[in-house]
Amino acid sequence: RPAVGVAGMLLCAILSDTLNLQGPTTTEWDRLMVAVLADLAEVDDIQFLASQQFKAKSKELAGLSAHGLVNGDQKSFSFKTDKFNGDIGFAVVETTDDAVIIDRLDELLPEIVACKKEKELSALFLAVVNIVDLKGTLLICGPTELSLAKAAFGEDAEVTKNSTLMDLGTLVSRKKDYIPAVTRAIKGGWEKPINRGESTVDLGSLGKLEVDPLDPYQRVQRKGSVLEKKEGEHFKVVG
């Protein structure tokens, strides 16, 4: 029998992983364990606990640098077919206020390209998931990502902001929704387009990662990248 504090942490872990039991990865075992752990942790209002937990997480995410958001929850997946051989990176940011993250689009896209180059990935995506409305938005940093996203999520998927945002609708899970779709597209014969957009930049021109010694949060930020946009300029994907 776990202590009250331990039961509370386990409860919060399940609520986070399953998006308060609303995500597509939720199982009946999750629901059972939430009920048991809530009793052990002496939690009377699970919904209130989940809402406060998600608010705290979202507030923390909003304060992260672009580098922190792109690299915080990122995984890579290897593929090898007759037409494609390489690694695809897929990062996810879960928040109660997706607009706060998406509003930093021109800051995030150059960082996605830089991270892609540094890790020698063939493509890198960042999905922003609204964990209240259960909807997803995909950030697209180049022609390769745009081509693969259309192959995976449909040619008719709504793409906006100079082809840098794709509406994923109710798709919110990397494990259940995103990677299976990408896998089907690649195994179905997808191949990289010739035009690579900003990904052709030299690795040495992407600047350096620095920590401002005066920053109380010690956030890692990229300085001196050739991809940084001037005020009024916007990142574009040539598709």
Side-chain angles (χ1 to χ4, degrees):
R1 181 185 180 93
V4 171
V6 174
M9 287 189 289
L10 293 172
L11 173 61
C12 288
I14 296 176
L15 292 176
S16 176
D17 189 57
T18 63
L19 302 181
N20 192 20
L21 303 178
Q22 300 300 309
T25 61
T26 305
T27 66
E28 289 305 313
W29 181 252
D30 290 323
R31 300 182 195 280
L32 173 62
M33 289 309 300
V34 162
V36 171
L37 289 169
D39 182 59
L40 293 175
E42 301 176 3
V43 173
D44 297 322
D45 192 338
I46 296 174
Q47 296 303 317
F48 179 74
L49 172 64
S51 67
Q52 293 302 301
Q53 180 180 344
F54 291 156
K55 285 180 181 179
K57 177 181 179 181
S58 299
K59 183 178 180 180
E60 182 73 17
L61 286 172
L64 289 179
S65 65
H67 179 77
L69 290 170
V70 173
N71 290 274
D73 183 7
Q74 182 190 128
K75 295 182 180 180
S76 62
F77 304 84
S78 298
F79 297 92
K80 185 175 183 180
T81 69
D82 292 338
K83 295 185 177 181
F84 175 75
N85 182 11
D87 297 329
I88 305 295
F90 215 115
V92 176
V93 172
E94 296 177 344
T95 176
T96 58
D97 190 353
D98 51 341
V100 170
I101 305 298
I102 294 172
D103 283 347
R104 298 171 62 185
L105 186 64
D106 289 322
E107 177 188 357
L108 289 166
L109 291 170
E111 184 59 36
I112 296 174
V113 174
C115 180
K116 171 184 172 181
K117 291 284 291 185
E118 290 171 343
K119 295 186 177 181
E120 299 183 342
L121 299 170
S122 297
L124 176 57
F125 295 103
L126 172 62
V128 181
V129 175
N130 185 309
I131 54 181
V132 175
D133 298 332
L134 293 180
K135 64 177 183 179
T137 303
L138 191 65
L139 274 62
I140 298 170
C141 71
T144 297
E145 285 76 11
L146 181 60
S147 173
L148 181 52
K150 287 185 174 181
F153 304 111
E155 290 286 342
D156 296 332
E158 182 182 5
V159 178
T160 57
K161 295 287 186 180
N162 297 315
S163 297
T164 59
L165 287 181
M166 176 178 281
D167 183 359
L168 296 178
T170 59
L171 302 181
V172 297
S173 171
R174 177 169 50 201
K175 180 180 179 180
K176 288 285 188 176
D177 299 322
Y178 304 151
I179 298 308
V182 169
T183 300
R184 285 192 297 270
I186 293 176
K187 290 186 175 181
W190 176 82
E191 55 185 328
K192 291 179 65 175
I194 297 176
N195 181 9
R196 294 175 54 210
E198 299 278 19
S199 294
T200 58
V201 298
D202 180 72
L203 189 61
S205 64
L206 294 176
K208 296 181 179 180
L209 294 174
E210 300 178 357
V211 176
D212 184 349
L214 300 179
D215 183 354
Y217 300 104
Q218 294 293 287
R219 286 169 290 201
V220 178
Q221 300 188 53
R222 190 176 300 276
K223 300 292 185 180
S225 172
V226 71
L227 296 177
E228 289 181 7
K229 300 300 177 184
K230 298 178 181 178
E231 186 175 352
E233 291 184 342
H234 299 289
F235 201 95
K236 295 182 179 180
V237 171
V238 180

Short mmCIF file of all heavy atoms in Angstrom, two decimals, residues 91-144:
data_model
loop_
_atom_site.label_atom_id
_atom_site.label_comp_id
_atom_site.label_asym_id
_atom_site.label_seq_id
_atom_site.Cartn_x
_atom_site.Cartn_y
_atom_site.Cartn_z
N ALA A 91 8.33 15.83 -32.14
CA ALA A 91 8.22 16.44 -30.81
C ALA A 91 6.77 16.80 -30.55
O ALA A 91 6.01 17.08 -31.47
CB ALA A 91 9.10 17.68 -30.73
N VAL A 92 6.39 16.79 -29.26
CA VAL A 92 5.01 17.10 -28.88
C VAL A 92 5.03 18.08 -27.69
O VAL A 92 5.81 17.90 -26.76
CB VAL A 92 4.22 15.84 -28.49
CG1 VAL A 92 2.83 16.21 -27.99
CG2 VAL A 92 4.12 14.89 -29.68
N VAL A 93 4.16 19.09 -27.76
CA VAL A 93 3.94 20.00 -26.64
C VAL A 93 2.47 19.92 -26.28
O VAL A 93 1.61 20.19 -27.11
CB VAL A 93 4.32 21.45 -27.00
CG1 VAL A 93 3.90 22.39 -25.88
CG2 VAL A 93 5.80 21.57 -27.26
N GLU A 94 2.17 19.53 -25.05
CA GLU A 94 0.79 19.42 -24.58
C GLU A 94 0.50 20.60 -23.66
O GLU A 94 1.22 20.83 -22.69
CB GLU A 94 0.57 18.11 -23.83
CG GLU A 94 0.74 16.89 -24.72
CD GLU A 94 0.59 15.58 -23.95
OE1 GLU A 94 0.65 15.62 -22.70
OE2 GLU A 94 0.42 14.53 -24.60
N THR A 95 -0.57 21.34 -23.95
CA THR A 95 -0.87 22.55 -23.20
C THR A 95 -2.36 22.83 -23.16
O THR A 95 -3.11 22.34 -24.01
CB THR A 95 -0.15 23.76 -23.85
OG1 THR A 95 -0.52 24.96 -23.18
CG2 THR A 95 -0.51 23.87 -25.33
N THR A 96 -2.79 23.63 -22.19
CA THR A 96 -4.19 24.03 -22.12
C THR A 96 -4.45 25.24 -23.01
O THR A 96 -5.59 25.58 -23.28
CB THR A 96 -4.59 24.39 -20.68
OG1 THR A 96 -3.74 25.45 -20.21
CG2 THR A 96 -4.45 23.18 -19.76
N ASP A 97 -3.39 25.90 -23.46
CA ASP A 97 -3.52 27.10 -24.29
C ASP A 97 -2.57 26.98 -25.48
O ASP A 97 -1.44 27.48 -25.43
CB ASP A 97 -3.23 28.35 -23.47
CG ASP A 97 -3.57 29.63 -24.21
OD1 ASP A 97 -3.92 29.56 -25.40
OD2 ASP A 97 -3.49 30.71 -23.59
N ASP A 98 -3.01 26.34 -26.54
CA ASP A 98 -2.14 26.11 -27.69
C ASP A 98 -1.78 27.40 -28.42
O ASP A 98 -0.72 27.50 -29.03
CB ASP A 98 -2.76 25.11 -28.66
CG ASP A 98 -4.19 25.47 -29.05
OD1 ASP A 98 -4.82 26.25 -28.34
OD2 ASP A 98 -4.67 24.93 -30.07
N ALA A 99 -2.65 28.42 -28.32
CA ALA A 99 -2.38 29.68 -29.00
C ALA A 99 -1.10 30.33 -28.49
O ALA A 99 -0.36 30.96 -29.27
CB ALA A 99 -3.56 30.64 -28.84
N VAL A 100 -0.81 30.19 -27.21
CA VAL A 100 0.39 30.79 -26.63
C VAL A 100 1.65 30.20 -27.28
O VAL A 100 2.62 30.92 -27.52
CB VAL A 100 0.43 30.55 -25.09
CG1 VAL A 100 1.78 30.95 -24.52
CG2 VAL A 100 -0.67 31.34 -24.42
N ILE A 101 1.63 28.91 -27.57
CA ILE A 101 2.78 28.26 -28.21
C ILE A 101 2.81 28.58 -29.70
O ILE A 101 3.87 28.94 -30.25
CB ILE A 101 2.72 26.73 -28.00
CG1 ILE A 101 2.62 26.39 -26.51
CG2 ILE A 101 3.95 26.07 -28.63
CD1 ILE A 101 3.79 26.84 -25.68
N ILE A 102 1.67 28.48 -30.37
CA ILE A 102 1.61 28.70 -31.81
C ILE A 102 1.95 30.14 -32.17
O ILE A 102 2.50 30.41 -33.24
CB ILE A 102 0.22 28.30 -32.35
CG1 ILE A 102 0.00 26.79 -32.18
CG2 ILE A 102 0.07 28.68 -33.82
CD1 ILE A 102 -1.39 26.32 -32.49
N ASP A 103 1.66 31.08 -31.28
CA ASP A 103 2.00 32.48 -31.53
C ASP A 103 3.51 32.70 -31.63
O ASP A 103 3.96 33.74 -32.12
CB ASP A 103 1.43 33.37 -30.41
CG ASP A 103 -0.06 33.61 -30.57
OD1 ASP A 103 -0.61 33.30 -31.65
OD2 ASP A 103 -0.69 34.09 -29.60
N ARG A 104 4.29 31.71 -31.19
CA ARG A 104 5.75 31.81 -31.27
C ARG A 104 6.28 31.06 -32.49
O ARG A 104 7.45 30.67 -32.55
CB ARG A 104 6.36 31.23 -29.99
CG ARG A 104 5.96 32.00 -28.73
CD ARG A 104 6.41 31.28 -27.47
NE ARG A 104 7.85 31.16 -27.39
CZ ARG A 104 8.49 30.50 -26.42
NH1 ARG A 104 7.79 29.91 -25.45
NH2 ARG A 104 9.80 30.41 -26.40
N LEU A 105 5.43 30.93 -33.50
CA LEU A 105 5.76 30.16 -34.70
C LEU A 105 7.07 30.58 -35.34
O LEU A 105 7.91 29.73 -35.67
CB LEU A 105 4.60 30.31 -35.71
CG LEU A 105 4.67 29.46 -36.98
CD1 LEU A 105 4.58 27.98 -36.63
CD2 LEU A 105 3.54 29.85 -37.93
N ASP A 106 7.27 31.88 -35.54
CA ASP A 106 8.48 32.36 -36.21
C ASP A 106 9.74 32.17 -35.37
O ASP A 106 10.85 32.30 -35.88
CB ASP A 106 8.32 33.83 -36.60
CG ASP A 106 7.32 34.00 -37.74
OD1 ASP A 106 7.32 33.16 -38.65
OD2 ASP A 106 6.55 34.97 -37.70
N GLU A 107 9.56 31.90 -34.11
CA GLU A 107 10.69 31.59 -33.22
C GLU A 107 10.94 30.08 -33.20
O GLU A 107 12.10 29.64 -33.16
CB GLU A 107 10.37 32.07 -31.81
CG GLU A 107 11.41 31.76 -30.77
CD GLU A 107 10.94 32.08 -29.36
OE1 GLU A 107 9.83 32.61 -29.19
OE2 GLU A 107 11.69 31.77 -28.41
N LEU A 108 9.88 29.30 -33.27
CA LEU A 108 9.99 27.84 -33.18
C LEU A 108 10.48 27.20 -34.47
O LEU A 108 11.29 26.26 -34.43
CB LEU A 108 8.63 27.24 -32.80
CG LEU A 108 8.17 27.49 -31.37
CD1 LEU A 108 6.69 27.14 -31.22
CD2 LEU A 108 9.01 26.68 -30.39
N LEU A 109 10.02 27.68 -35.62
CA LEU A 109 10.38 27.04 -36.88
C LEU A 109 11.88 27.04 -37.16
O LEU A 109 12.44 26.00 -37.54
CB LEU A 109 9.62 27.69 -38.03
CG LEU A 109 8.11 27.41 -38.04
CD1 LEU A 109 7.40 28.28 -39.07
CD2 LEU A 109 7.82 25.94 -38.31
N PRO A 110 12.59 28.16 -36.96
CA PRO A 110 14.05 28.12 -37.16
C PRO A 110 14.73 27.14 -36.21
O PRO A 110 15.71 26.49 -36.58
CB PRO A 110 14.49 29.56 -36.88
CG PRO A 110 13.28 30.38 -37.17
CD PRO A 110 12.13 29.54 -36.70
N GLU A 111 14.21 27.03 -34.98
CA GLU A 111 14.81 26.10 -34.02
C GLU A 111 14.57 24.65 -34.44
O GLU A 111 15.42 23.78 -34.23
CB GLU A 111 14.24 26.35 -32.63
CG GLU A 111 14.87 25.49 -31.54
CD GLU A 111 16.38 25.67 -31.42
OE1 GLU A 111 16.87 26.81 -31.60
OE2 GLU A 111 17.08 24.67 -31.17
N ILE A 112 13.41 24.38 -35.03
CA ILE A 112 13.13 23.03 -35.53
C ILE A 112 14.13 22.67 -36.63
O ILE A 112 14.68 21.56 -36.66
CB ILE A 112 11.68 22.92 -36.05
CG1 ILE A 112 10.69 23.13 -34.91
CG2 ILE A 112 11.45 21.54 -36.70
CD1 ILE A 112 9.24 23.19 -35.37
N VAL A 113 14.37 23.61 -37.55
CA VAL A 113 15.35 23.37 -38.62
C VAL A 113 16.74 23.13 -38.04
O VAL A 113 17.45 22.21 -38.44
CB VAL A 113 15.39 24.56 -39.61
CG1 VAL A 113 16.51 24.37 -40.63
CG2 VAL A 113 14.06 24.71 -40.32
N ALA A 114 17.13 23.96 -37.08
CA ALA A 114 18.45 23.84 -36.47
C ALA A 114 18.62 22.49 -35.78
O ALA A 114 19.64 21.81 -35.93
CB ALA A 114 18.67 24.98 -35.47
N CYS A 115 17.60 22.09 -35.02
CA CYS A 115 17.65 20.81 -34.32
C CYS A 115 17.71 19.65 -35.31
O CYS A 115 18.43 18.67 -35.11
CB CYS A 115 16.42 20.69 -33.41
SG CYS A 115 16.36 19.15 -32.48
N LYS A 116 16.95 19.78 -36.37
CA LYS A 116 16.94 18.75 -37.42
C LYS A 116 18.34 18.57 -38.01
O LYS A 116 18.80 17.44 -38.21
CB LYS A 116 15.94 19.16 -38.50
CG LYS A 116 15.95 18.33 -39.77
CD LYS A 116 14.96 18.92 -40.77
CE LYS A 116 15.06 18.28 -42.12
NZ LYS A 116 14.12 18.87 -43.11
N LYS A 117 19.01 19.68 -38.29
CA LYS A 117 20.35 19.62 -38.86
C LYS A 117 21.34 19.03 -37.86
O LYS A 117 22.16 18.18 -38.22
CB LYS A 117 20.80 21.02 -39.26
CG LYS A 117 20.06 21.61 -40.43
CD LYS A 117 20.50 21.00 -41.76
CE LYS A 117 21.91 21.41 -42.09
NZ LYS A 117 22.34 20.92 -43.44
N GLU A 118 21.27 19.47 -36.62
CA GLU A 118 22.22 19.03 -35.60
C GLU A 118 22.09 17.53 -35.32
O GLU A 118 23.09 16.85 -35.05
CB GLU A 118 22.02 19.83 -34.32
CG GLU A 118 22.47 21.28 -34.45
CD GLU A 118 22.07 22.14 -33.26
OE1 GLU A 118 21.19 21.72 -32.49
OE2 GLU A 118 22.65 23.23 -33.10
N LYS A 119 20.87 17.02 -35.36
CA LYS A 119 20.65 15.60 -35.05
C LYS A 119 20.64 14.73 -36.30
O LYS A 119 20.39 13.53 -36.21
CB LYS A 119 19.33 15.45 -34.29
CG LYS A 119 19.36 16.12 -32.93
CD LYS A 119 18.09 15.84 -32.12
CE LYS A 119 18.18 16.46 -30.74
NZ LYS A 119 16.96 16.19 -29.91
N GLU A 120 20.89 15.35 -37.46
CA GLU A 120 20.96 14.64 -38.74
C GLU A 120 19.68 13.86 -39.01
O GLU A 120 19.71 12.70 -39.44
CB GLU A 120 22.18 13.72 -38.78
CG GLU A 120 23.50 14.47 -38.63
CD GLU A 120 24.71 13.56 -38.74
OE1 GLU A 120 24.55 12.33 -38.59
OE2 GLU A 120 25.81 14.08 -38.99
N LEU A 121 18.54 14.51 -38.77
CA LEU A 121 17.24 13.90 -39.04
C LEU A 121 16.81 14.22 -40.47
O LEU A 121 17.14 15.27 -41.01
CB LEU A 121 16.19 14.44 -38.06
CG LEU A 121 16.43 14.17 -36.58
CD1 LEU A 121 15.46 14.97 -35.72
CD2 LEU A 121 16.29 12.68 -36.27
N SER A 122 16.06 13.32 -41.06
CA SER A 122 15.54 13.56 -42.40
C SER A 122 14.37 14.53 -42.37
O SER A 122 14.13 15.28 -43.33
CB SER A 122 15.10 12.25 -43.06
OG SER A 122 16.19 11.38 -43.23
N ALA A 123 13.62 14.51 -41.27
CA ALA A 123 12.49 15.41 -41.07
C ALA A 123 12.25 15.54 -39.58
O ALA A 123 12.56 14.63 -38.81
CB ALA A 123 11.24 14.88 -41.77
N LEU A 124 11.70 16.69 -39.20
CA LEU A 124 11.38 16.91 -37.79
C LEU A 124 10.08 17.70 -37.68
O LEU A 124 9.93 18.75 -38.30
CB LEU A 124 12.51 17.68 -37.09
CG LEU A 124 12.28 18.06 -35.62
CD1 LEU A 124 12.00 16.82 -34.77
CD2 LEU A 124 13.49 18.82 -35.07
N PHE A 125 9.16 17.17 -36.90
CA PHE A 125 7.87 17.81 -36.68
C PHE A 125 7.73 18.22 -35.22
O PHE A 125 8.32 17.62 -34.33
CB PHE A 125 6.72 16.85 -37.00
CG PHE A 125 6.63 16.44 -38.44
CD1 PHE A 125 7.07 15.18 -38.85
CD2 PHE A 125 6.08 17.29 -39.39
CE1 PHE A 125 6.97 14.79 -40.17
CE2 PHE A 125 5.98 16.90 -40.71
CZ PHE A 125 6.44 15.65 -41.11
N LEU A 126 6.89 19.23 -34.99
CA LEU A 126 6.47 19.59 -33.64
C LEU A 126 4.95 19.70 -33.65
O LEU A 126 4.39 20.52 -34.39
CB LEU A 126 7.09 20.92 -33.20
CG LEU A 126 6.57 21.51 -31.88
CD1 LEU A 126 6.88 20.57 -30.72
CD2 LEU A 126 7.16 22.89 -31.62
N ALA A 127 4.29 18.88 -32.85
CA ALA A 127 2.83 18.94 -32.73
C ALA A 127 2.47 19.63 -31.43
O ALA A 127 3.01 19.30 -30.37
CB ALA A 127 2.24 17.53 -32.76
N VAL A 128 1.57 20.61 -31.52
CA VAL A 128 1.07 21.31 -30.34
C VAL A 128 -0.33 20.79 -30.06
O VAL A 128 -1.23 20.91 -30.91
CB VAL A 128 1.04 22.83 -30.56
CG1 VAL A 128 0.52 23.54 -29.31
CG2 VAL A 128 2.43 23.34 -30.93
N VAL A 129 -0.51 20.17 -28.90
CA VAL A 129 -1.78 19.53 -28.55
C VAL A 129 -2.50 20.32 -27.47
O VAL A 129 -1.94 20.58 -26.40
CB VAL A 129 -1.54 18.08 -28.07
CG1 VAL A 129 -2.86 17.45 -27.60
CG2 VAL A 129 -0.93 17.25 -29.19
N ASN A 130 -3.73 20.70 -27.75
CA ASN A 130 -4.58 21.35 -26.74
C ASN A 130 -5.25 20.23 -25.94
O ASN A 130 -6.09 19.50 -26.47
CB ASN A 130 -5.64 22.22 -27.42
CG ASN A 130 -6.46 23.01 -26.41
OD1 ASN A 130 -6.99 22.46 -25.46
ND2 ASN A 130 -6.57 24.31 -26.65
N ILE A 131 -4.86 20.09 -24.67
CA ILE A 131 -5.33 18.96 -23.87
C ILE A 131 -6.69 19.21 -23.24
O ILE A 131 -7.23 18.32 -22.56
CB ILE A 131 -4.30 18.60 -22.78
CG1 ILE A 131 -3.94 19.83 -21.92
CG2 ILE A 131 -3.05 18.01 -23.40
CD1 ILE A 131 -2.91 19.56 -20.85
N VAL A 132 -7.27 20.38 -23.48
CA VAL A 132 -8.63 20.67 -23.03
C VAL A 132 -9.62 20.37 -24.15
O VAL A 132 -10.59 19.63 -23.99
CB VAL A 132 -8.78 22.13 -22.57
CG1 VAL A 132 -10.24 22.41 -22.21
CG2 VAL A 132 -7.88 22.40 -21.37
N ASP A 133 -9.33 20.94 -25.34
CA ASP A 133 -10.21 20.75 -26.49
C ASP A 133 -9.88 19.47 -27.26
O ASP A 133 -10.62 19.10 -28.18
CB ASP A 133 -10.10 21.94 -27.44
CG ASP A 133 -10.55 23.24 -26.78
OD1 ASP A 133 -11.40 23.16 -25.86
OD2 ASP A 133 -10.05 24.31 -27.16
N LEU A 134 -8.76 18.82 -26.91
CA LEU A 134 -8.31 17.60 -27.59
C LEU A 134 -8.21 17.80 -29.09
O LEU A 134 -8.89 17.15 -29.90
CB LEU A 134 -9.24 16.42 -27.26
CG LEU A 134 -9.23 15.95 -25.80
CD1 LEU A 134 -10.18 14.79 -25.59
CD2 LEU A 134 -7.82 15.55 -25.37
N LYS A 135 -7.33 18.72 -29.48
CA LYS A 135 -7.08 18.99 -30.88
C LYS A 135 -5.59 19.20 -31.09
O LYS A 135 -4.87 19.61 -30.16
CB LYS A 135 -7.86 20.21 -31.37
CG LYS A 135 -7.45 21.52 -30.70
CD LYS A 135 -8.22 22.69 -31.28
CE LYS A 135 -7.75 24.01 -30.66
NZ LYS A 135 -8.46 25.18 -31.22
N GLY A 136 -5.11 18.91 -32.29
CA GLY A 136 -3.69 19.02 -32.56
C GLY A 136 -3.38 19.93 -33.73
O GLY A 136 -4.17 20.05 -34.68
N THR A 137 -2.21 20.58 -33.66
CA THR A 137 -1.72 21.44 -34.74
C THR A 137 -0.27 21.06 -35.00
O THR A 137 0.52 20.94 -34.07
CB THR A 137 -1.80 22.92 -34.37
OG1 THR A 137 -3.15 23.26 -34.04
CG2 THR A 137 -1.34 23.79 -35.52
N LEU A 138 0.08 20.88 -36.27
CA LEU A 138 1.42 20.45 -36.64
C LEU A 138 2.22 21.62 -37.20
O LEU A 138 1.76 22.33 -38.10
CB LEU A 138 1.34 19.34 -37.69
CG LEU A 138 2.63 18.60 -38.02
CD1 LEU A 138 3.11 17.81 -36.79
CD2 LEU A 138 2.41 17.65 -39.21
N LEU A 139 3.43 21.82 -36.65
CA LEU A 139 4.33 22.85 -37.16
C LEU A 139 5.23 22.23 -38.22
O LEU A 139 5.82 21.16 -38.00
CB LEU A 139 5.19 23.43 -36.03
CG LEU A 139 4.56 24.59 -35.23
CD1 LEU A 139 3.28 24.14 -34.53
CD2 LEU A 139 5.54 25.17 -34.24
N ILE A 140 5.32 22.89 -39.37
CA ILE A 140 6.01 22.35 -40.54
C ILE A 140 7.15 23.29 -40.93
O ILE A 140 6.92 24.46 -41.26
CB ILE A 140 5.03 22.19 -41.72
CG1 ILE A 140 3.93 21.20 -41.33
CG2 ILE A 140 5.75 21.74 -42.98
CD1 ILE A 140 2.79 21.14 -42.32
N CYS A 141 8.38 22.79 -40.90
CA CYS A 141 9.55 23.67 -41.08
C CYS A 141 10.16 23.63 -42.47
O CYS A 141 11.11 24.35 -42.74
CB CYS A 141 10.62 23.33 -40.04
SG CYS A 141 11.44 21.74 -40.32
N GLY A 142 9.64 22.78 -43.37
CA GLY A 142 10.25 22.71 -44.70
C GLY A 142 9.46 21.87 -45.67
O GLY A 142 8.47 21.22 -45.31
N PRO A 143 9.89 21.85 -46.95
CA PRO A 143 9.20 21.09 -47.99
C PRO A 143 9.12 19.59 -47.71
O PRO A 143 8.13 18.95 -48.04
CB PRO A 143 10.06 21.36 -49.23
CG PRO A 143 10.70 22.67 -48.96
CD PRO A 143 10.99 22.67 -47.49
N THR A 144 10.17 19.03 -47.09
CA THR A 144 10.14 17.60 -46.77
C THR A 144 9.03 17.30 -45.76
O THR A 144 8.25 16.36 -45.93
CB THR A 144 11.49 17.14 -46.19
OG1 THR A 144 12.51 17.32 -47.17
CG2 THR A 144 11.44 15.67 -45.77
#
